[in-house]
Amino acid sequence: MRRALLEWYGRARRDLPWRRDRDPYRVWVSEIMLQQTRVAVAAPYYERFLARFPDVASLAAAGEQEVLAAWSGLGYYSRARNLHRAARAIAASGEFPRDYAALRTLPGVGDYTAAAIASIAFGRPHAVLDGNAVRVLARLVAEPGEVSSGQVRERLRQAAGQLLDRSRPGEFNQALMELGATLCLPRKPRCDACPLTRYCEARQRGIEGLLPVRRPRGAVRRIEKTLLVIVQRGRVLLRRRSEENRRLAGFWELPESGEVPGARLIAARGAFRHAITNHSYRVQVVAARAGRAPRGFRWVPKGQLERLPLATASRKALGLYFAREAG
């Protein structure tokens, strides 16, 4: 089974930027970015982030606003803050941690991330258990339990450890995750192309489409929102979130409708959808005019916008507004 998986991976793996070397800093950055972010979204951010912060020292020396600006648009910003904190801890220690236990102590590094870095960068025999690996393993062993439960996760962790190729743990882990990302798909697994079909218990029973068993998602809450784009003499009206707002502390955002007393609405500039966990926003973008900046807001020159950490919805709104203005 190991040989079949690794031979398939050698032929079929995608050419992703973080697979081109085993530098631990690059592996670490990619693994943090890929938490809750699709590969297609993460790849361009990864390359831009490394161009700006090519090593631990440059990331550690940067200011938080600079790091958040480079991360802006990826969401889940605690990842960027933890990455920055961890870089400073690594720089202070003088070396990148090389084993699972030491990696696990870094801010933002959990069991999966520590195992991924240890195996890919340092060849340590630790099995990974991300969402893709969980799906593959649950089907391989026909796991009947709900996969978020602690007992089921432990059973799958043991199965992953037994399957792990200890002579090539990094490649094996990546192969398992690649299989889940490209063939062992959530709704329509491509069993006809899978190198592990004959080993798969779920496939033998004809229940691959029923696994893994997951807890039903909560209902999606739909919310209407209006953001105002107020431009005056080449400056945009923005406010910076206070440190009390944990999720978006330090980020800049556009005002919402009703937050600028006396604002005069000019014209709608379009709308877009924006999702955060189980919240679905329909955001309308409206051009407006105002006199002085209200308390808590300030005028920011357009040329500085790219250097600021902008909240994702505000970044999308400004992109839509300026695209319409240019058209």
Side-chain angles (χ1 to χ4, degrees):
M1 191 188 301
R2 296 184 189 107
R3 183 166 57 252
L5 180 61
L6 287 167
E7 286 178 356
W8 168 82
Y9 182 63
R11 296 190 308 270
R13 68 180 182 180
R14 293 168 293 175
D15 180 23
L16 301 176
W18 43 83
R19 288 180 176 163
R20 293 167 191 164
D21 63 51
R22 294 169 54 189
D23 176 77
Y25 172 73
R26 291 170 176 260
V27 173
W28 170 50
V29 171
S30 71
E31 290 299 336
I32 298 298
M33 281 194 174
L34 289 168
Q35 293 171 4
Q36 299 172 299
T37 301
R38 292 180 295 108
V39 164
V41 175
Y45 276 92
Y46 171 82
E47 296 189 299
R48 288 195 297 268
F49 194 88
L50 285 182
R52 177 63 192 85
F53 308 113
D55 50 35
V56 170
S58 58
L59 180 57
E64 183 180 89
Q65 288 277 292
E66 192 178 0
V67 175
L68 291 175
W71 199 273
S72 181
L74 268 181
Y76 299 99
Y77 294 105
S78 61
R79 295 180 298 171
R81 291 189 174 91
N82 283 331
L83 195 73
H84 192 212
R85 288 170 53 210
R88 291 187 165 178
I90 294 168
S93 72
E95 62 178 356
F96 203 99
R98 300 179 63 86
D99 60 62
Y100 177 90
L103 288 162
R104 191 65 181 77
T105 66
L106 295 175
V109 174
D111 294 342
Y112 159 74
T113 306
I117 300 169
S119 64
I120 297 169
F122 301 113
R124 302 296 173 90
H126 295 280
V128 300
L129 205 64
D130 78 331
N132 287 319
V134 163
R135 185 165 57 254
V136 173
L137 291 163
R139 286 171 174 162
L140 278 175
V141 302
E143 170 56 58
E146 198 272 306
V147 293
S148 69
S149 81
Q151 288 183 333
V152 172
R153 299 290 281 202
E154 184 55 35
R155 287 201 294 269
L156 293 177
R157 187 172 288 109
Q158 290 178 11
Q162 290 168 0
L163 285 172
L164 181 69
D165 188 321
R166 292 178 174 270
S167 64
R168 300 165 66 186
E171 283 185 87
F172 182 87
N173 282 333
Q174 291 181 88
L176 196 66
M177 294 186 286
E178 185 79 346
L179 187 67
T182 60
L183 296 184
C184 197
L185 303 171
R187 290 195 175 88
K188 293 183 179 180
R190 296 176 54 199
C191 299
D192 57 323
C194 178
L196 302 185
T197 295
R198 64 179 175 144
Y199 306 104
C200 181
E201 186 67 23
R203 177 64 171 172
Q204 305 313 313
R205 298 187 196 177
I207 59 172
E208 66 274 11
L210 302 178
L211 299 178
V213 177
R214 295 189 182 277
R215 182 181 303 156
R217 290 187 177 184
V220 175
R221 185 181 173 197
R222 303 189 182 280
I223 302 169
E224 298 281 333
K225 189 174 186 178
T226 299
L227 293 180
L228 304 182
V229 181
I230 303 173
V231 181
Q232 183 184 101
R233 295 196 294 272
R235 302 172 302 167
V236 181
L237 188 67
L238 296 171
R239 69 173 169 193
R240 185 182 175 195
R241 285 282 186 112
S242 70
E243 296 302 318
E244 296 172 3
N245 186 299
R246 295 181 60 187
R247 190 172 63 84
L248 286 175
F251 276 75
W252 295 78
E253 61 186 357
L254 294 166
E256 293 186 37
S257 178
E259 292 184 334
V260 182
R264 184 160 60 89
L265 307 185
I266 301 172
R269 289 291 185 260
F272 59 89
R273 294 284 181 185
H274 180 61
I276 303 175
T277 58
N278 63 336
H279 293 68
S280 177
Y281 294 89
R282 182 182 181 274
V283 183
Q284 185 174 18
V285 182
V286 176
R289 288 182 183 159
R292 63 181 61 185
R295 183 182 180 86
F297 287 86
R298 59 177 283 192
W299 297 104
V300 177
K302 287 194 293 183
Q304 294 183 11
L305 293 178
E306 286 301 317
R307 299 197 294 272
L308 290 179
L310 288 168
T312 302
S314 292
R315 183 177 289 279
K316 290 180 180 178
L318 287 168
L320 180 59
Y321 172 85
F322 287 122
R324 292 291 175 88
E325 291 293 302

